[in-house]
Amino acid sequence: MRGFFSRHWYAYAMVLPAVIVTGVLVILPLVQGAFYSFTNINESNIANPVLDRPASYEFTGLENYANVLSGDASYGGFWAILLRTLIWTFACVFLHFVIGLGLAMLLNRPMRGRGVYRVLLILPWAVPAFISAFAWKYMFNAQYGIINQVLRALGLPDPVWLGQSDLALVAVILVNVWLGVPFMMVSILGGLQSIPSSLYEAAEIDGASAWQKFRNVTMPGLRSVSSTVILLGTIWTFNMFAVVYLITGINPNTRLLITYAFERFFNGASRDYAIASTYGVLILSVLLVFASVYRRALRRQGEVW
């Protein structure tokens, strides 16, 4: 061990700053949040040096988890929010992948102006999310938004997109799909370009149709790329906060696990840090379980990572 460190000390010296930053900004808050989930901490009993008030919160064990997992509406109705979060995540990731795959296959073909199309399709990804969210919020405005103006011009109903209805969830899904497709497209395009052309030539010699080449050559060749981007897309979408909150604010019809944790932490007469931390731990637990199951399924298919 001593010889190993003496040979590779420079590598550890290079990694050490990143480890320190990660520990301070990620690991310590994570441990603190997990600890708070076992207490009854809120704004009234947390330590406040300005008011010279010591901390008076108490350890409550698993009480917060029992209350949240019971589905009690006073604790947000965890299962209803989880279902909405799963619908949101599945819809976004599915559309990200399908649209991204279609665009990547189009851009992988020789065409005039292909570079211009690539730049234009990457623009939504290049624009900061909060700018896009505010732009779409005005576009979805029921009275002055361009979307409803077009619908009225066509003689179609002009709904209240961002009101207290399920249309609000549809609206934020559309915005998130618009933001997320470029990343999926670029990733899949790289995977398509790594597939040897000889495989397509051999399939064509064997008389394979376009669908057979897609199913037996393209999709297996994209398996390693698609498995990674789907996992990343699921984690990012499950934890997506900016798009939902900036467009609809506190709206029960777009309430996700991450946005409700924010509500409990920053809103209300007495900010409930304990329940917010409990939701944070549960979000992490759901994602860890998903990643573990997903990885195991990939290993069974021969993908080792």
Side-chain angles (χ1 to χ4, degrees):
M1 185 65 70
R2 183 177 301 174
F4 178 81
F5 280 108
S6 64
R7 290 194 303 271
H8 303 287
W9 65 269
Y10 58 89
Y12 289 96
M14 290 290 188
V15 174
L16 184 60
V19 173
I20 294 175
V21 172
T22 302
V24 173
L25 298 181
V26 178
I27 297 177
L28 286 180
L30 179 63
V31 173
Q32 186 179 46
F35 171 73
Y36 283 165
S37 69
F38 295 104
T39 67
N40 63 348
I41 187 171
N42 55 47
E43 192 175 27
S44 63
N45 58 26
I46 193 173
N48 191 330
V50 176
L51 301 177
D52 194 22
R53 184 183 66 195
S56 59
Y57 57 85
E58 300 176 351
F59 184 80
T60 58
L62 297 176
E63 181 179 344
N64 291 328
Y65 292 95
N67 292 332
V68 170
L69 295 176
S70 67
D72 191 339
S74 61
Y75 295 94
F78 174 79
W79 299 107
I81 300 177
L82 176 61
L83 177 61
R84 187 181 300 111
T85 305
L86 293 176
I87 293 172
W88 147 269
T89 303
F90 175 79
C92 289
V93 174
F94 176 78
L95 292 174
H96 284 164
F97 184 79
V98 172
I99 298 174
L101 176 62
L103 292 175
M105 293 186 67
L106 288 175
L107 292 178
N108 196 42
R109 298 180 178 182
M111 65 172 70
R112 182 176 299 176
R114 183 170 60 176
V116 176
Y117 293 138
R118 288 184 180 181
V119 172
L120 292 176
L121 289 171
I122 291 175
L123 276 179
W125 190 27
V127 177
F130 72 93
I131 294 179
S132 299
F134 285 132
W136 278 97
K137 182 176 182 178
Y138 288 115
M139 290 171 64
F140 277 120
N141 185 276
Q143 187 174 359
Y144 304 107
I146 189 173
I147 295 176
N148 275 7
Q149 289 185 17
V150 172
L151 292 176
R152 284 192 291 266
L154 296 175
L156 299 174
D158 52 342
V160 179
W161 290 97
L162 305 181
Q164 303 289 324
S165 70
D166 290 335
L167 282 177
L169 183 61
V170 174
V172 292
I173 287 175
L174 291 176
V175 176
N176 194 57
V177 168
W178 183 79
L179 287 170
V181 161
F183 166 77
M184 198 71 71
M185 178 194 69
V186 171
S187 301
I188 295 175
L189 181 60
L192 287 173
Q193 294 175 346
S194 68
I195 299 176
S197 58
S198 59
L199 297 179
Y200 290 103
E201 295 170 358
E204 191 169 351
I205 293 174
D206 291 339
S209 64
W211 167 250
Q212 289 173 328
K213 286 189 286 187
F214 173 77
R215 187 182 64 181
N216 298 311
V217 178
T218 302
M219 291 308 294
L222 288 176
R223 184 176 297 168
S224 59
V225 174
S226 61
S227 60
T228 302
V229 295
I230 288 175
L231 177 61
L232 292 175
T234 300
I235 295 174
W236 292 340
T237 305
F238 199 90
N239 284 324
M240 176 58 68
F241 171 80
V243 170
V244 178
Y245 187 78
L246 293 177
I247 293 179
T248 64
I250 300 177
N251 188 329
N253 295 92
T254 59
R255 180 175 288 158
L256 308 177
L257 292 177
I258 189 70
T259 59
Y260 186 70
F262 176 86
E263 289 180 40
R264 293 302 291 247
F265 200 96
F266 289 102
N267 292 301
S270 179
R271 298 175 180 179
D272 199 337
Y273 305 137
I275 296 300
S277 299
T278 304
Y279 267 85
V281 173
L282 290 174
I283 291 170
L284 176 62
S285 302
V286 171
L287 291 175
L288 287 176
V289 170
F290 168 77
S292 178
V293 173
Y294 187 74
R295 182 173 181 272
R296 185 171 300 179
L298 290 179
R299 289 176 66 90
R300 290 178 180 176
Q301 296 177 5
E303 294 289 335
V304 180
W305 56 277

